[in-house]
Structure formats: C-alpha cells, structure tokens
Amino acid sequence: MTHLICWKRALVVGTALAGLASPVWAQTAQEDAGASEQPQAADIIVTANRRDQSDLSVAAAVTALSSELLEQAIIRDTQDLTQLAPGLVITTATSEATAATIRLRGIGTSGTNLGLEGSVGVFVDNIYRARSGIALGDLFDVAQVEVLRGPQGTLFGKNTTAGALLVQTRAPTYDWNGEVQAAYANRDSLRLMGALGGVIVEDKVAFRVSGVVTRRDGFLEDRGTGREVNDRDRFALRGQLRLDPSDRVSIRLIADYSRKQEQCCAAIVTQNGARAPAIAALGGFVPTAFDEYVVASNRRYQADTREWGLSSQIDVRFDKAQWTTLLSWRDFTSARNTDSDFTSADLLNTPFEDTSDRFFTAETTLKGTAGPVDWLVGGFLFDQQTDQSSAILFGRDLNRFLQLSFPAAAARLAGLYPEGGGDTRRDFAQSASGWSVFTHNIVTLLPDVKATIGLRYLTEDKEGSGRFAFNSPACGRVGVPVGAQLLCPTPDFDSRFEDEQVIGTAGLSWEPTSGALLYANFSRGYKAGGLNLDRTGGLAGAAGATFLPEEIDSYEVGAKARLLGGKARVALTLFTSDITNFQQNAFTGTAFTISNAAEVRSRGVEFETTLRPVPWLSFANSVIYNEATYGEATANAALRGRQIVNAPKWTWQSQFMIERPVGKGGWTTQWAANMRMISDVNTSVALQPEAEEDGYFLLGGRIGLRSPDDSFDVSLFAQNLTNTFYRTIIFAGVLQPGTFNAYVGEPRHYGVEARVRF
C-alpha cells in the first residue's frame, strides 16, 4: 500500500509538472533570445540512422540528451544517464570494469564472464567500446548523448539485441573557446574539468584538449578494515585534431587516456543465514541492521584500471555521396583484488585479478542519394585479444569456519584448507575476429511515405583457453561433506566458436503532416555467442566451454508529433521482442554458471512528451510499461512467466527547468529538477525471493545563477536528495546458505559548482 501511495503521489507531481514527456527540451535554451519569441520545443538533430536528421523524422525509438540537459541534471558519468534515459538500467557488481551490465527494455546480460558481450552497445564518437564496463566512465566535454532502443544490427559496428548509447564529444572548431569547471561536494568530493580549443591553421587545422579529475571519499564504512570504500579517484584526458585539407575532405583524430585507482566494490549484508554465528565466533562482524551503508572485510578492495585509445574519422564528400572511414585501437587493463567472502573473517580472497583487452576496429561506409533512394553501404571488421589471470585462495579462518559449519565432520576437516591454497591460478585467453558487410536504405515511395530496408551479413571466429592450478586437499576426500569440498580441480580447456549470420530490418513510415510521423518496424537482431571464460568452462567438456548467440525478433509501432504550435512534442512507441537462446549468467554462491536455456519476451509501451508553454519554462516526462518475462521454452520451469532480473515493469522519469531574470542587469537564475521512479524488481538472475527490491524514487536538483553573456555560472546541486536507500543487485552469500549480500546505490550527494567559459 505504501508503494501504491508513493506511485500515486509521483504521478500527480509528474502530471502537474509536465504531462508525460521526453528529455529533449534542454537544447532549446539557446533559442531564447527574448521572452517575446514564440516558445518552441526544438527539433533535435540525431544520427540514429547514420545520417543527420531531425529526431521527429527518424522512424525509431530514440532519445537525445543535450549537453545542457546533462549539466542541469548533474550527469557526471555513464551510470548517471539512468536518471534521464527512458528504460535504461545500469548496474555493477564485483567490478565496474568487468562486471557491469547495461539494460534497455529490460534486456541485458549479467555477470563477470569476459566471454559475454553487452546487450547494449556503447559508441563514443562513433567508435565501439568492447565491453560495458570499459564504457563506464566520466562524461566530460560532451555535445550530445543518443539512446537508441531496440536491436541495432545494420548500422552500428558490433551487433546488439537491446539498443545502443551514442556519445558525441565536442569536436574542434575554428573559434577559440574553452571552459573551466570546479565542483566541491560532501564526502570531500572534488571535480575539476577543463577544455580549450581553437585554430592552428586558419580554416585548415583546429584542435581541442579536454580533461577531468574526480575525487571522492567512499560512502560505505568498512567495519573490518576501518576504511571507507566505494570511493572515486579518476582522471581522463582527450586530445583532438581537425584537419580540412580541402572543401571535400575532413579528418578528425582523437587520442584519449583514462585511469581509475579506487576501492570498489563492497557489498552489504541484507540477511543473515545459519552460519552467521560461525562468522561471529571467528571474531567477524555480523550486522543486525540491513539498511545501513556498512560492510565488513579483511582486506583492501582494489580496482585500478587504465585505458587509452586512438581513432580517426575521414570524411570524403562527393557531389551526391559521402565516404566515411573509421579506424580505432583501444587498450584496456585492470588490476583488482577483493575479499571474496564479503566478511571480516578471512575465508576466501582474490589477491589478484589482472585483465587486459586490446581491440582494433575498422569501418567504412558510402552513403548518398539516387532518385528516391537514400542509400548506405558499408563494411566493418574487428580484432580483439582478451587475457585474464586471477586466483581465489583459502584464508586463515576457512578451516575453523568449516569445522564450525559441519560439526559432525570437524575432525576430518582439520588441515584440509591450507592458507594460500585453493584455486591458486586461473588463466584465460581469447582471440576474436570478425567482419561484416551491411546496407541501410530509405526509399521514398510517395512524397509522405518511406520504406526502410537494411541487411547485414557477418562472420565471427573466437578461439580461447582456460588453464588452472589448484591446491584443494578436501576435494574427493572420503567423509568430507560435499558442501565442504571447495575450489576443486577443473580440467583445462581449449575451445573455438565460429558463426555467421544474416540479420536485417524493414520498416514503413508515413508523415501525414509536417511535424508528425507514424511508423512500423521489424528487426532481426543478434548478439554473439562465444567462450565460457570461467572455471566452469572446463567442467562439461566442449559443450560447457561455449555458449550460443542470442537472436531477437523485434516489432515496433510508433508515432511522433509536434503539437500546440510547436510548444509540445509527443512520442508513443509500442514494442514486442522475442529473444531465443537468452544468455544467462547466474551466481550460485560458489560459482557462476552460464547457459542459453531460456527464451525472453519483452513487450510494452513508451510514452514521452515535452512541453514548453513559455520561453522560460520547460517540462519533460516519460512513462514506460514493460513486461520482460521468461518464455515457455525456458528450461527452468520456476522462471517461466516471471519478470527477468532488474527489469522494472514501470519506469517514470520527469525533468523541469525554469530560467528567470534577476533584476535589470541581465543575470538569470536557473531552477532544475529531475526525478525517477521504478517499480519493484528482482535483482537476482535466479529470481530468488530474497533478491526482491521494492520500487524507489530518486530526486536530483540544481539552483544556479548565470551571467548576462553566459561566461560564468555558479550553482548548488544535489543527487538523491531524499537520501533513498536502495539495492541494485542482491546475491547469495559466499559459503553462507541463507545469507544474502547486496550492492547499493549512492546516498545523498550535494555541493556547489562554478564554471567559467571563454
């Protein structure tokens, strides 16, 4: 009943603020030359079809987030985008780098297995980021973010089944410009961002350099080590060159570098199991409250990453065509160690986990018009090398803990768990390569009717191995209970996965009047299969070492329109998607298991509107209803018909902005707020009842003062203003049946920010 009342209040507030909408209004601020102008909810130029188009003319579900909206909503990194982007859910588990999941319309692949690819592709300046975790980082000097919902196969690099995030950074121009931004917030949070760009050779060569530094204390108190964990310590730098050797040729070169040195990621306890007294007997901390930012561990959490990349985009323009070539090289490394049992007793530890990923891509497209056909053809290839070395070792308290847990076998367990033994070495390696050719064409059938036809042929080849070393004396020992036989030997394996597919899209759109669009689309999507890069990969022979690709059939019907003389915009989308061979990766409490033994159907409706009744006031809202459920072909009968992991049925988001003059000197005040509410979710792949999380409401806001020439502004800001406590992933406790742990969202964050533009 409490949640129902909360929902009713939220919907009343949302209706009063906006009447249901999409966050595209922020790009209109620059059009406000004066209050006498007719207010407009401006067109947004998007690249969802690899063409510059008004979002109202794109026959697909796409949301554009402008740089101003990102600033007003205090969007500082990729994970913050969930506050604005309809249907977007981002979660991280043991590591942001290797255990992040991005979901759209409920679809995403959970877990830490490096063999899995993301269901949502992330493209920064048109360059594909190979893993969801690699894509999570600071957003700085960004021009626009586009969120594309539904399969993306015929236009964007690697194929994805759920959607894509397109991040465009500010490109160099021939005007000197720059900015410096500084923010200080609670938990000693400091963020410094700067950018500078200008001309090197008039009309021929321009540059832009930008960077950001972020520091913040942790928000989790570690009762075991006395530290504060889940902190921020990040640095990123980007340099660009723009070359225009002729009127027909443009070249953009980008080099970027980023690093993180953080203590992440700790998990609280949400429920104590029967073995909690054994933890207490060993001197470990056992919580009695489960809604606090308190954890307990016996070792430091380390999460260090380094990434750098080089990319180029070459555009050659002909009279009726344009040829674009994209080349990129990205190099990613991470070093992690963690307390594997999430207690202050010394049971299991991961003293090291070293991961590297090197990724090369090349893409070329040729597009143009020929009569009624707006055509595009292209090719894409990639080459990737992934390596990981890690260990999970017995701690000094493990032997005593298991004796307390299995008292009848205590004498037989003595000495079977040597400190430093266990899974002493696990090495994974994978080489992957592939290529594809594709076409995407928009055909004008009648002046107001267009058809879209796209196809892609692709082939992929992955080859990899797992090598293991063990020191586990209890395994196979007579009289040792099965539950006490830990980290038992796994056979080495070598495996290969090869595949080829033809996927595509077809659609029809009708523009009944200027500023209105009706459309219907079908897409066949694909997400690659691959190798099971986990210790379970060698347990079932060749069959256990690989998994199948996901395939999706998606149908979408939508309508978009500009109303009330341009003061309002609406977008309505109905969708249904059927996924076969859905890739599951579930944690059992001792290991991750991966399978394709499931089918999923995601179906629902997305309703977005924007309202700008007067030049100084803007509203935006979106409401999504989504049933993302397991189908009848799912092997586990207990899952059939149930909503899948971290897929809320209801999502409501709202933003508003007010900008008013102060006195007669030209200064203005800005008032902005963003709200998000989701309904109940289950945060466990296995849909355990203990992993249910109630729906919650998040509120952020900003109050600012801006100078007449827009060269200076200062503001107060807050995220999670109501200090809502919420859990993003709840999972079975390690070695503790009945115990559950959880990763939690960040508590209230507030501070002051100043910016100077020049």
Side-chain angles (χ1 to χ4, degrees), residues 6-269:
C6 188
W7 265 99
K8 288 181 176 179
R9 288 176 178 173
L11 289 175
V12 169
V13 171
T15 303
L17 288 177
L20 307 166
S22 155
V24 296
W25 47 265
Q27 285 195 327
T28 65
Q30 294 180 351
E31 300 176 7
D32 292 339
S36 61
E37 294 182 0
Q38 178 72 9
Q40 295 286 323
D43 281 351
I44 307 300
I45 302 303
V46 297
T47 58
N49 284 330
R50 300 296 287 269
R51 302 155 171 95
D52 292 338
Q53 298 173 282
S54 163
D55 66 316
L56 284 178
S57 66
V58 174
V62 55
T63 298
L65 309 174
S66 71
S67 59
E68 184 178 359
L69 179 55
L70 298 176
E71 286 294 332
Q72 295 298 336
I74 320 109
I75 304 302
R76 296 293 178 254
D77 59 37
T78 315
Q79 289 174 271
D80 291 339
L81 290 173
T82 58
Q83 285 293 102
L84 301 179
L88 179 66
V89 175
I90 301 177
T91 58
T92 60
T94 54
S95 164
E96 282 193 357
T98 58
T101 301
I102 304 177
R103 293 179 171 85
L104 278 169
R105 292 179 174 171
I107 305 302
T109 304
S110 303
T112 61
N113 196 307
L114 287 177
L116 291 165
E117 298 183 4
S119 300
V120 178
V122 179
F123 300 81
V124 181
D125 293 322
N126 302 316
I127 301 301
Y128 177 67
R129 298 300 172 96
R131 301 191 181 282
S132 299
I134 295 175
L136 298 188
D138 286 293
L139 292 174
F140 65 101
D141 207 26
V142 169
Q144 182 166 285
V145 176
E146 297 174 35
V147 183
L148 282 58
R149 300 184 291 279
Q152 306 297 321
T154 59
L155 283 171
F156 295 97
K158 289 282 288 180
N159 306 282
T160 58
T161 49
L165 302 181
L166 311 183
V167 180
Q168 297 293 337
T169 66
R170 289 192 175 96
T173 68
Y174 290 110
D175 296 321
W176 282 94
N177 64 91
E179 67 176 277
V180 176
Q181 186 181 87
Y184 182 78
N186 61 324
R187 295 191 293 279
D188 276 338
S189 173
L190 178 66
R191 186 178 190 268
L192 300 174
M193 194 280 285
L196 177 66
V199 61
I200 298 176
V201 178
E202 192 68 32
D203 296 329
K204 295 294 183 183
V205 183
F207 79 97
R208 188 169 186 86
V209 177
S210 54
V212 64
V213 177
T214 304
R215 302 279 192 277
R216 192 206 68 204
D217 290 344
F219 62 84
L220 293 177
E221 177 190 354
D222 190 339
R223 295 286 177 85
T225 65
R227 295 187 175 95
E228 292 178 335
V229 296
N230 284 30
D231 61 351
R232 285 283 186 267
D233 187 349
R234 301 177 174 183
F235 168 77
L237 183 67
R238 181 187 306 117
Q240 302 184 63
L241 279 178
R242 171 181 172 179
L243 309 174
D244 292 298
S246 73
D247 292 340
R248 291 181 177 268
V249 179
S250 298
I251 302 171
R252 186 180 182 186
L253 306 175
I254 304 176
D256 66 272
Y257 172 85
S258 65
R259 67 117 182 97
K260 301 178 185 178
Q261 293 177 311
E262 300 174 347
Q263 297 186 73
C264 186
C265 302
I268 69 167
V269 174

Side-chain angles (χ1 to χ4, degrees), residues 597-668:
E599 69 173 10
V600 167
R601 168 169 287 185
S602 173
R603 55 186 175 183
V605 58
E606 300 161 342
F607 184 44
E608 309 169 79
T609 66
T610 305
L611 177 63
R612 195 169 190 220
V614 290
W616 51 267
L617 177 63
S618 298
F619 297 113
N621 272 275
S622 65
V623 171
I624 296 176
Y625 177 76
N626 179 26
E627 290 186 355
T629 57
Y630 286 107
E632 290 302 313
T634 301
N636 185 348
L639 299 181
R640 296 171 190 166
R642 298 181 62 186
Q643 194 84 352
I644 65 176
V645 57
N646 266 320
K649 282 190 175 182
W650 287 97
T651 303
W652 168 72
Q653 291 167 299
S654 179
Q655 302 87 39
F656 77 85
M657 185 172 71
I658 300 171
E659 189 167 5
R660 298 295 289 163
V662 178
K664 297 182 180 180
W667 288 77
T668 58

Side-chain angles (χ1 to χ4, degrees), residues 299-317:
R299 65 183 297 117
R300 177 179 178 269
Y301 288 87
Q302 177 193 12
D304 297 344
T305 65
R306 180 189 62 83
E307 184 188 13
W308 62 272
L310 302 170
S311 68
S312 66
Q313 177 172 331
I314 304 171
D315 294 307
V316 181
R317 292 173 291 277

